[in-house]
Amino acid sequence: MSTCSRSLPLDGLPRHSAPRAGIQNLVSIADWSRSDIEGLLAVADDIRCHPGEFAYSLAGTLVCTAFFEPSTRTRLSFEAAAHRLGAKVLCMGDTQSTRMGLGESVADTLRMAGYYADLVVARHASDGTFERLSGVLDVPLVSAGEGQCRHPTQTLIDLFTMRRHFGTLDGLRVGIVGGLRYSRAAKSLLAGLRAFRDVCIHVVDAVSDACHGSGPRPCLAQIAGTGVQEHACVADMLGLVDVLYVVRVQREQFQDAAAYQAQLRRCRVDSRLMRACGKDIAVLHCLPRGEELPEDMDGTPFNHYFRQAAAGVPVRMAVLQRYLGRFRRSTAAAWVGDRLCLDIAPAATPEASLAW
Ligand code: CP
């Protein structure tokens, strides 16, 4: 156990300032209380069980996805979520087709998105961007991942997946494995788990060989908080955890192939290792994966990571519902021809075919 003290909130950044009057933004999971999280997870579960009943709850609204960094799951699942709630979607999947090539700022680009849509979902590579810019929008800004510290909706998905499997988050024993100091999903999860009681955290932290500026490398407790137990390799923690949350060992952070392979050996979670441990451990991964989670895990009962990825849709539906919801499902509204119909019957399909 490390002895370093923690001077920042668990996501490593100063706390998000109060939103402008009447505007709420989702920037950091550290801003959410236990009851905020539990309320959201309850709505997500309701949506998962009865998606047809929410099919028109955001009819007449427009969601803009503005991604200044690549994404597969987050963008697609937010857009799927918006469509499944009856909202329309404006999509900025990359910056190539915008005027950012002429030097237009992120602030002005997001400001425009806020003029044209009712809510903006955005991703950016730099820590603190949304804290700085959320005040320029007159509509809610929802982070789709930012820098190396914050990914609030990924954390909601992770907590939803764990709670669905275990029934509770209190008392859970969670192992986090991989390059967690470079992983916003891991750091955001650590912040989210702080809201629950008696959660034990074990980590294997893959540290790169790269030099990061002139200052000292932050110790694990500065990144993960105090009370976290560090282990030399994943095999050492298997007897102590209920969940293994794996993140990439980021090859791009290493200058030397041998150094990367050495860290990978500490963190790799494969079917031979998991079967040998003889325990029912739920393996999660925010994806995309690298060599730390080989495909031979996919067909095993330890695989909860695809279910976790699929849960992105109902959880993000619940997020959009929270920030935009105008119609309760009992008064769902939809245009049929030129008529606005209230209390329409839930769609008979496609609930049976959904993966959630
Ligand atoms: N988990 C996650 O954020 O995936 P994407 O980068 O594909 O959105």
Side-chain angles (χ1 to χ4, degrees):
M1 196 175 308
S2 172
T3 56
C4 294
S5 63
R6 182 166 65 87
S7 56
L8 290 172
L10 251 184
D11 64 2
L13 292 173
R15 216 156 257 265
H16 178 49
S17 55
R20 284 167 55 179
I23 298 288
Q24 272 191 302
N25 305 298
L26 175 48
V27 173
S28 168
I29 199 69
D31 295 332
W32 279 35
S33 67
R34 177 191 179 112
S35 67
D36 289 333
I37 294 172
E38 288 183 327
L40 190 289
L41 300 189
V43 174
D45 210 35
D46 195 13
I47 289 172
R48 184 185 67 78
C49 296
H50 311 287
E53 296 186 26
F54 292 83
Y56 301 100
S57 65
L58 293 188
T61 64
L62 189 51
V63 171
C64 179
T65 54
F67 278 65
F68 302 93
E69 203 191 37
S71 164
T72 298
R73 279 146 292 276
T74 311
R75 185 166 72 82
L76 292 180
S77 61
F78 259 119
E79 292 176 3
H83 285 296
R84 289 197 180 279
L85 290 167
K88 289 190 167 64
V89 177
L90 277 180
C91 170
M92 194 182 84
D94 61 57
T95 56
Q96 302 300 314
S97 57
T98 71
R99 289 306 202 178
M100 293 186 76
L102 291 181
E104 186 162 33
S105 66
V106 175
D108 277 358
T109 307
L110 281 180
R111 198 191 311 270
M112 299 307 125
Y115 289 154
Y116 306 145
D118 301 304
L119 179 146
V120 178
V121 175
R123 169 172 288 191
H124 198 276
S126 298
D127 287 307
T129 301
F130 298 142
E131 186 114 55
R132 191 166 50 83
L133 298 183
S134 57
V136 310
L137 278 83
D138 291 327
V139 300
L141 173 66
V142 173
S143 168
E146 181 198 17
Q148 290 192 345
C149 293
R150 290 171 169 172
H151 200 347
T153 62
Q154 179 65 52
T155 301
L156 291 168
I157 293 164
D158 302 340
L159 298 177
F160 178 82
T161 307
M162 290 180 204
R163 199 191 64 158
R164 199 176 155 208
H165 185 63
F166 294 102
T168 180
L169 295 165
D170 291 325
L172 217 53
R173 302 174 305 163
V174 182
I176 303 181
V177 180
L180 72 91
R181 64 184 57 220
Y182 319 105
S183 166
R184 58 186 166 217
K187 278 180 255 174
S188 186
L189 176 62
L190 283 159
L193 287 169
R194 271 288 148 134
F196 296 88
R197 278 191 299 274
D198 302 325
V199 175
C200 292
I201 308 285
H202 300 263
V203 304
V204 178
D205 180 27
V207 183
S208 88
D209 59 342
C211 176
H212 292 277
S214 53
R217 195 192 298 277
C219 69
L220 183 63
Q222 285 173 298
I223 293 160
T226 52
V228 170
Q229 292 186 46
E230 189 170 9
H231 300 270
C233 66
V234 66
D236 288 356
M237 68 158 67
L238 289 182
L240 302 169
V241 300
D242 309 302
V243 183
L244 264 185
Y245 191 90
V246 190
V247 298
R248 275 194 325 125
V249 179
Q250 299 92 344
R251 178 69 187 86
E252 66 276 12
Q253 294 284 354
F254 290 83
Q255 291 162 350
D256 177 55
Y260 164 70
Q261 288 298 335
Q263 295 300 323
L264 185 61
R265 276 193 295 279
R266 300 174 61 219
C267 298
R268 192 175 146 94
V269 176
D270 61 24
S271 63
R272 185 194 54 76
L273 176 78
M274 295 306 294
R275 289 206 163 95
C277 91
K279 273 186 70 189
D280 178 20
I281 295 174
V283 175
L284 276 68
H285 194 304
C286 57
L287 304 174
R289 62 178 151 185
E291 295 176 274
E292 71 286 338
L293 185 68
E295 289 181 7
D296 74 353
M297 283 289 292
D298 295 356
T300 71
F302 307 105
N303 173 0
H304 288 246
Y305 40 90
F306 290 153
R307 193 171 307 140
Q308 173 192 8
V313 178
V315 171
R316 287 176 171 132
M317 286 170 77
V319 169
L320 296 178
Q321 184 78 14
R322 174 186 162 121
Y323 287 92
L324 282 180
R326 297 187 307 188
F327 301 113
R328 296 184 67 81
R329 58 187 173 139
S330 58
T331 55
W335 289 97
V336 178
D338 59 357
R339 250 172 0 109
L340 183 67
C341 297
L342 299 179
D343 286 331
I344 52 171
T349 58
E351 300 186 14
S353 61
L354 296 174
W356 332 324

